[in-house]
Amino acid sequence: MRKLKRTLPIFLVVAAFCAYRPAFAETAAPQEKDEHHHAKTSLDWPGIYNGLTPCADCIGVKTTLALNKNGSYVLITQYLGKSEREFVEKGKFAWGDKANTIVLTPRNSSASQQYLVGENQLIQLDNNGNRVSGKLADRYILRRNDITNTPPSHAGH
């Protein structure tokens, strides 16, 4: 129940952002050479991803990233053990030059972040677009959270 109380405000912020943004029809993009091997077309990537990424001067960075089909995103971070404040970043993302990568570009900054898109996960990449190696490498993975599934209906009511 405590976890629900913590994640509910994040979900409500993301839901409010998604409801506020008008939806536009997407136009068909030209076919890519190797499209059948591209995460954009082969994986169910839209959704909400969560993780606890490493932090140099705190316990960890609680990270929630919502990717929307229209190319927008909401990134919420909180530096655990340092502050209760949540930082909310909104922007657009685009598919990168490397296969199966996305590049987040915030509205209020030019500093972008890259992620490798996998099956129900995103892997945060370093500034050069490479996977982080070493003993903390697994902590750069955000896992998809399927809280958007419709709850089962209750019969007999």
Side-chain angles (χ1 to χ4, degrees):
M1 185 62 141
R2 184 176 176 173
K3 185 175 180 180
L4 178 63
K5 286 182 181 180
R6 286 183 154 177
T7 58
L8 187 59
I10 294 170
F11 176 72
L12 292 175
V13 167
V14 171
F17 175 76
C18 292
Y20 175 74
R21 307 257 318 151
F24 298 99
E26 295 181 13
T27 58
Q31 296 285 345
E32 295 182 28
K33 266 187 178 177
D34 206 16
E35 184 178 29
H36 62 281
H37 292 294
H38 200 283
K40 181 178 182 181
T41 56
S42 64
L43 296 175
D44 186 21
W45 53 264
I48 300 172
Y49 297 82
N50 298 297
L52 185 66
T53 58
C55 177
D57 61 350
C58 67
I59 296 170
V61 181
K62 181 180 171 185
T63 305
T64 301
L65 175 57
L67 297 179
N68 301 306
K69 285 184 180 182
N70 67 359
S72 65
Y73 75 89
V74 177
L75 176 66
I76 301 170
T77 54
Q78 181 184 19
Y79 294 85
L80 299 178
K82 190 172 183 178
S83 171
E84 292 291 316
R85 181 173 179 214
E86 291 181 338
F87 296 90
V88 178
E89 172 185 297
K90 297 177 184 178
K92 296 281 184 187
F93 71 90
W95 291 90
D97 294 334
K98 293 182 182 177
N100 304 339
T101 61
I102 58 170
V103 180
L104 306 183
T105 305
R107 283 188 201 162
N108 302 329
S109 171
S110 61
S112 61
Q113 289 184 17
Q114 296 183 56
Y115 287 87
L116 177 66
V117 180
E119 187 71 36
N120 294 318
Q121 67 181 8
L122 298 174
I123 301 170
Q124 186 176 350
L125 303 175
D126 67 15
N127 292 336
N128 297 320
N130 300 313
R131 287 187 71 162
V132 176
S133 59
K135 62 183 179 180
L136 296 178
D138 288 344
R139 294 214 21 223
Y140 288 92
I141 298 174
L142 304 181
R143 304 215 185 274
R144 187 166 176 196
N145 184 5
D146 284 334
I147 60 174
T148 56
N149 289 345
T150 309
S153 61
H154 299 301
H157 285 72

